[in-house]
mmCIF file of all heavy atoms in Angstrom:
data_model
loop_
_atom_site.group_PDB
_atom_site.id
_atom_site.type_symbol
_atom_site.label_atom_id
_atom_site.label_comp_id
_atom_site.label_asym_id
_atom_site.label_seq_id
_atom_site.Cartn_x
_atom_site.Cartn_y
_atom_site.Cartn_z
ATOM 1 N N TRP A 385 -7.762 12.335 37.146
ATOM 2 C CA TRP A 385 -7.142 13.639 37.380
ATOM 3 C C TRP A 385 -8.102 14.799 37.142
ATOM 4 O O TRP A 385 -7.965 15.845 37.749
ATOM 5 C CB TRP A 385 -5.908 13.775 36.493
ATOM 6 C CG TRP A 385 -4.903 12.689 36.752
ATOM 7 C CD1 TRP A 385 -4.249 12.443 37.926
ATOM 8 C CD2 TRP A 385 -4.477 11.695 35.835
ATOM 9 N NE1 TRP A 385 -3.434 11.345 37.796
ATOM 10 C CE2 TRP A 385 -3.541 10.860 36.514
ATOM 11 C CE3 TRP A 385 -4.757 11.414 34.497
ATOM 12 C CZ2 TRP A 385 -2.919 9.785 35.901
ATOM 13 C CZ3 TRP A 385 -4.134 10.342 33.893
ATOM 14 C CH2 TRP A 385 -3.233 9.535 34.587
ATOM 15 N N LEU A 386 -9.072 14.604 36.266
ATOM 16 C CA LEU A 386 -10.042 15.666 36.017
ATOM 17 C C LEU A 386 -11.041 15.827 37.156
ATOM 18 O O LEU A 386 -11.521 16.939 37.413
ATOM 19 C CB LEU A 386 -10.812 15.388 34.719
ATOM 20 C CG LEU A 386 -10.088 15.626 33.397
ATOM 21 C CD1 LEU A 386 -10.980 15.198 32.235
ATOM 22 C CD2 LEU A 386 -9.681 17.092 33.244
ATOM 23 N N LYS A 387 -11.380 14.740 37.823
ATOM 24 C CA LYS A 387 -12.406 14.794 38.878
ATOM 25 C C LYS A 387 -12.126 15.857 39.941
ATOM 26 O O LYS A 387 -13.046 16.553 40.374
ATOM 27 C CB LYS A 387 -12.565 13.422 39.532
ATOM 28 C CG LYS A 387 -13.599 12.539 38.851
ATOM 29 C CD LYS A 387 -13.842 11.273 39.661
ATOM 30 C CE LYS A 387 -14.970 10.446 39.058
ATOM 31 N NZ LYS A 387 -15.215 9.214 39.836
ATOM 32 N N PRO A 388 -10.871 16.007 40.407
ATOM 33 C CA PRO A 388 -10.630 17.051 41.417
ATOM 34 C C PRO A 388 -10.688 18.473 40.842
ATOM 35 O O PRO A 388 -10.735 19.432 41.616
ATOM 36 C CB PRO A 388 -9.212 16.737 41.909
ATOM 37 C CG PRO A 388 -8.913 15.352 41.454
ATOM 38 C CD PRO A 388 -9.680 15.175 40.194
ATOM 39 N N LEU A 389 -10.679 18.592 39.528
ATOM 40 C CA LEU A 389 -10.569 19.903 38.905
ATOM 41 C C LEU A 389 -11.894 20.478 38.432
ATOM 42 O O LEU A 389 -12.076 21.703 38.420
ATOM 43 C CB LEU A 389 -9.630 19.834 37.687
ATOM 44 C CG LEU A 389 -8.202 19.359 37.920
ATOM 45 C CD1 LEU A 389 -7.444 19.329 36.597
ATOM 46 C CD2 LEU A 389 -7.500 20.268 38.921
ATOM 47 N N ALA A 390 -12.817 19.611 37.981
ATOM 48 C CA ALA A 390 -13.966 20.118 37.238
ATOM 49 C C ALA A 390 -15.199 19.251 37.451
ATOM 50 O O ALA A 390 -15.103 18.080 37.834
ATOM 51 C CB ALA A 390 -13.618 20.162 35.740
ATOM 52 N N ARG A 391 -16.355 19.857 37.179
ATOM 53 C CA ARG A 391 -17.580 19.075 37.060
ATOM 54 C C ARG A 391 -17.576 18.474 35.671
ATOM 55 O O ARG A 391 -17.455 19.191 34.669
ATOM 56 C CB ARG A 391 -18.808 19.961 37.252
ATOM 57 C CG ARG A 391 -20.120 19.209 37.062
ATOM 58 C CD ARG A 391 -21.299 20.017 37.567
ATOM 59 N NE ARG A 391 -21.551 21.208 36.780
ATOM 60 C CZ ARG A 391 -22.268 21.241 35.653
ATOM 61 N NH1 ARG A 391 -22.786 20.115 35.173
ATOM 62 N NH2 ARG A 391 -22.466 22.361 35.002
ATOM 63 N N LEU A 392 -17.713 17.163 35.596
ATOM 64 C CA LEU A 392 -17.521 16.468 34.333
ATOM 65 C C LEU A 392 -18.850 16.151 33.662
ATOM 66 O O LEU A 392 -19.719 15.502 34.252
ATOM 67 C CB LEU A 392 -16.726 15.179 34.556
ATOM 68 C CG LEU A 392 -15.317 15.368 35.134
ATOM 69 C CD1 LEU A 392 -14.643 14.019 35.331
ATOM 70 C CD2 LEU A 392 -14.475 16.268 34.242
ATOM 71 N N ASP A 393 -18.988 16.605 32.412
ATOM 72 C CA ASP A 393 -20.127 16.211 31.593
ATOM 73 C C ASP A 393 -19.864 14.808 31.054
ATOM 74 O O ASP A 393 -18.727 14.473 30.700
ATOM 75 C CB ASP A 393 -20.295 17.162 30.403
ATOM 76 C CG ASP A 393 -20.665 18.569 30.832
ATOM 77 O OD1 ASP A 393 -20.846 18.806 32.040
ATOM 78 O OD2 ASP A 393 -20.760 19.440 29.948
ATOM 79 N N ALA A 394 -20.888 13.994 30.978
ATOM 80 C CA ALA A 394 -20.721 12.662 30.400
ATOM 81 C C ALA A 394 -20.318 12.780 28.936
ATOM 82 O O ALA A 394 -20.829 13.641 28.206
ATOM 83 C CB ALA A 394 -22.016 11.872 30.526
ATOM 84 N N ALA A 395 -19.399 11.947 28.517
ATOM 85 C CA ALA A 395 -19.015 11.931 27.106
ATOM 86 C C ALA A 395 -20.210 11.513 26.259
ATOM 87 O O ALA A 395 -20.997 10.654 26.671
ATOM 88 C CB ALA A 395 -17.855 10.962 26.890
ATOM 89 N N PRO A 396 -20.397 12.114 25.088
ATOM 90 C CA PRO A 396 -21.545 11.761 24.250
ATOM 91 C C PRO A 396 -21.470 10.319 23.777
ATOM 92 O O PRO A 396 -20.390 9.799 23.477
ATOM 93 C CB PRO A 396 -21.433 12.742 23.077
ATOM 94 C CG PRO A 396 -19.999 13.154 23.051
ATOM 95 C CD PRO A 396 -19.537 13.138 24.467
ATOM 96 N N VAL A 397 -22.622 9.663 23.725
ATOM 97 C CA VAL A 397 -22.698 8.277 23.259
ATOM 98 C C VAL A 397 -23.734 8.177 22.155
ATOM 99 O O VAL A 397 -24.568 9.060 21.973
ATOM 100 C CB VAL A 397 -23.051 7.312 24.408
ATOM 101 C CG1 VAL A 397 -21.958 7.297 25.465
ATOM 102 C CG2 VAL A 397 -24.387 7.690 25.038
ATOM 103 N N LEU A 398 -23.680 7.080 21.425
ATOM 104 C CA LEU A 398 -24.612 6.843 20.325
ATOM 105 C C LEU A 398 -25.635 5.776 20.689
ATOM 106 O O LEU A 398 -26.818 5.918 20.406
ATOM 107 C CB LEU A 398 -23.833 6.420 19.074
ATOM 108 C CG LEU A 398 -24.657 6.032 17.842
ATOM 109 C CD1 LEU A 398 -25.536 7.197 17.375
ATOM 110 C CD2 LEU A 398 -23.728 5.568 16.708
ATOM 111 N N PHE A 399 -25.184 4.714 21.307
ATOM 112 C CA PHE A 399 -26.046 3.562 21.582
ATOM 113 C C PHE A 399 -26.682 3.669 22.964
ATOM 114 O O PHE A 399 -26.130 4.313 23.859
ATOM 115 C CB PHE A 399 -25.227 2.271 21.472
ATOM 116 C CG PHE A 399 -24.758 1.967 20.086
ATOM 117 C CD1 PHE A 399 -23.601 2.566 19.585
ATOM 118 C CD2 PHE A 399 -25.462 1.099 19.256
ATOM 119 C CE1 PHE A 399 -23.160 2.303 18.298
ATOM 120 C CE2 PHE A 399 -25.028 0.824 17.978
ATOM 121 C CZ PHE A 399 -23.875 1.429 17.488
ATOM 122 N N PRO A 400 -27.832 3.029 23.161
ATOM 123 C CA PRO A 400 -28.451 3.010 24.491
ATOM 124 C C PRO A 400 -27.494 2.405 25.520
ATOM 125 O O PRO A 400 -26.720 1.496 25.210
ATOM 126 C CB PRO A 400 -29.683 2.116 24.296
ATOM 127 C CG PRO A 400 -29.986 2.183 22.834
ATOM 128 C CD PRO A 400 -28.663 2.328 22.150
ATOM 129 N N ALA A 401 -27.546 2.929 26.730
ATOM 130 C CA ALA A 401 -26.666 2.436 27.792
ATOM 131 C C ALA A 401 -26.946 0.970 28.084
ATOM 132 O O ALA A 401 -28.101 0.537 28.134
ATOM 133 C CB ALA A 401 -26.857 3.259 29.055
ATOM 134 N N VAL A 402 -25.876 0.204 28.250
ATOM 135 C CA VAL A 402 -25.971 -1.198 28.656
ATOM 136 C C VAL A 402 -25.324 -1.292 30.032
ATOM 137 O O VAL A 402 -24.099 -1.228 30.153
ATOM 138 C CB VAL A 402 -25.267 -2.124 27.653
ATOM 139 C CG1 VAL A 402 -25.300 -3.568 28.132
ATOM 140 C CG2 VAL A 402 -25.893 -2.005 26.268
ATOM 141 N N GLU A 403 -26.140 -1.402 31.055
ATOM 142 C CA GLU A 403 -25.620 -1.379 32.422
ATOM 143 C C GLU A 403 -24.960 -2.696 32.803
ATOM 144 O O GLU A 403 -23.998 -2.718 33.563
ATOM 145 C CB GLU A 403 -26.753 -1.061 33.402
ATOM 146 C CG GLU A 403 -27.439 0.277 33.151
ATOM 147 C CD GLU A 403 -26.483 1.453 33.266
ATOM 148 O OE1 GLU A 403 -25.468 1.319 33.973
ATOM 149 O OE2 GLU A 403 -26.744 2.501 32.636
ATOM 150 N N ARG A 404 -25.476 -3.792 32.285
ATOM 151 C CA ARG A 404 -24.937 -5.103 32.627
ATOM 152 C C ARG A 404 -23.591 -5.306 31.945
ATOM 153 O O ARG A 404 -23.412 -4.983 30.772
ATOM 154 C CB ARG A 404 -25.923 -6.183 32.195
ATOM 155 C CG ARG A 404 -25.493 -7.593 32.527
ATOM 156 C CD ARG A 404 -26.569 -8.581 32.108
ATOM 157 N NE ARG A 404 -26.145 -9.950 32.303
ATOM 158 C CZ ARG A 404 -26.877 -11.011 31.989
ATOM 159 N NH1 ARG A 404 -28.086 -10.830 31.474
ATOM 160 N NH2 ARG A 404 -26.419 -12.229 32.184
ATOM 161 N N HIS A 405 -22.635 -5.856 32.688
ATOM 162 C CA HIS A 405 -21.318 -6.125 32.096
ATOM 163 C C HIS A 405 -21.432 -7.159 30.988
ATOM 164 O O HIS A 405 -22.038 -8.221 31.160
ATOM 165 C CB HIS A 405 -20.348 -6.632 33.158
ATOM 166 C CG HIS A 405 -19.066 -7.154 32.589
ATOM 167 N ND1 HIS A 405 -18.230 -6.376 31.814
ATOM 168 C CD2 HIS A 405 -18.484 -8.380 32.657
ATOM 169 C CE1 HIS A 405 -17.193 -7.098 31.437
ATOM 170 N NE2 HIS A 405 -17.321 -8.315 31.940
#
Side-chain angles (χ1 to χ4, degrees):
W385 301 298
L386 285 176
K387 270 188 175 180
L389 302 179
R391 177 167 67 84
L392 299 179
D393 294 357
V397 296
L398 176 60
F399 293 83
V402 177
E403 301 299 335
R404 181 178 175 182
H405 170 58

